[in-house]
Amino acid sequence: MSKILFVMTGADHWTLADGSKHPTGFWAEEVVVPYQAFTAAGLEIVVATPGGVVPPLDEGSLAPQFNGGEEGAKKMTDALASIGEIQHPIRLEDVDLDDYAVVFYPGGHGPMEDLAVDATSGNLLIDALASGKPLGVVCHAPAALLAATKADGSNAFAGYRLTGFSNAEETQAGLAAKAKWLLQDRLVEIGADYQEGEPWAPNVVVDRNLVTGQNPASAGPVAAEILKKLT
């Protein structure tokens, strides 16, 4: 059975420009929907986090308004509770890329806090990109790409077409004015060819083995593109 590595945040907050800590973590939909797609295809999931901490959930991601109502919120909550792998992560520092067919990064604001500056994750991303294996990154998780600095000082993702949570979406979510920095701006700064879609609508960008999704609604389509690459 092929294995997919889910690299998840270990941060339960995002530090804002004024120094306050916005409670966050991973976004439920971005884990649950791909998890269901991958396991339905017979793939095994392994979760890794910095230090092997249990990834914290952004509780807001289970709110009815983000899940199509109360019934959808209950389904998401129940589905998330059934994913035992989340409670038993391995240490990101112990990951051997050779063990996995795919590397997948779900989002939430958590990666803006830890994975954006995590050198271990950055090196894994550099190696995953070079390996040709499918690499999926969704929503705020492209913040992790900022740490993929090569020996010559350039970013491994410079010149790649990709997407991630947009400035427009961060503004509509009410956090853009409070943030130290915005993901779209930083992705452009590292030399990526950022592709902006309509706010909150699915937007998936594929460039070579890199598959990126703009927002939570893009998580399922990203998983579908990855599965295409495995067949």
Side-chain angles (χ1 to χ4, degrees):
M1 180 185 291
S2 293
K3 292 197 288 189
I4 297 186
L5 182 71
F6 274 42
V7 179
M8 296 179 64
T9 183
D12 64 2
H13 67 274
W14 178 31
T15 305
L16 301 177
D18 65 0
S20 63
K21 294 181 177 181
H22 174 70
T24 188
F26 70 87
W27 197 259
E29 181 180 359
E30 296 169 30
V31 172
V32 168
V33 175
Y35 179 92
Q36 291 175 335
F38 293 141
T39 54
L43 300 165
E44 179 185 346
I45 311 299
V46 175
V47 173
T49 62
V53 302
V54 174
L57 169 69
D58 187 324
E59 297 289 347
S61 66
L62 296 180
Q65 65 262 39
F66 299 123
N67 292 285
E70 294 285 352
E71 184 179 344
K74 184 178 186 309
K75 281 184 180 176
M76 186 65 69
T77 301
D78 291 346
L80 187 62
S82 74
I83 301 177
E85 293 90 340
I86 291 175
Q87 300 305 317
H88 304 283
I90 65 171
R91 285 167 29 94
L92 182 59
E93 296 81 0
D94 296 334
V95 165
D96 183 345
L97 181 61
D98 291 341
D99 293 339
Y100 303 96
V102 174
V103 176
F104 177 74
Y105 279 66
H109 279 104
M112 301 278 282
E113 184 73 20
D114 61 352
L115 297 180
V117 293
D118 190 298
T120 301
S121 171
N123 288 330
L124 175 65
L125 285 164
I126 292 169
D127 292 343
L129 197 64
S131 74
K133 296 177 180 182
L135 171 59
V137 195
V138 176
C139 197
H140 284 96
L145 310 187
L146 304 179
T149 305
K150 298 192 293 187
D152 64 3
S154 66
N155 189 283
F157 293 87
Y160 274 77
R161 294 176 64 254
L162 52 78
T163 192
F165 205 66
S166 68
N167 290 356
E169 288 165 323
E170 204 71 84
T171 299
Q172 291 175 24
L175 287 167
K178 302 174 183 178
K180 288 182 183 178
W181 50 273
L182 297 176
L183 180 58
Q184 179 178 340
D185 292 345
R186 286 288 179 90
L187 292 173
V188 171
E189 285 172 15
I190 64 169
D193 182 4
Y194 180 85
Q195 306 285 308
E196 183 175 359
E198 288 297 316
W200 314 111
N203 178 34
V204 176
V205 177
V206 181
D207 188 345
R208 288 156 276 185
N209 58 318
L210 178 65
V211 184
T212 52
Q214 181 171 317
N215 45 38
S218 306
V222 165
E225 286 293 334
I226 288 171
L227 288 171
K228 278 189 208 171
K229 287 182 171 293
L230 288 177
T231 55

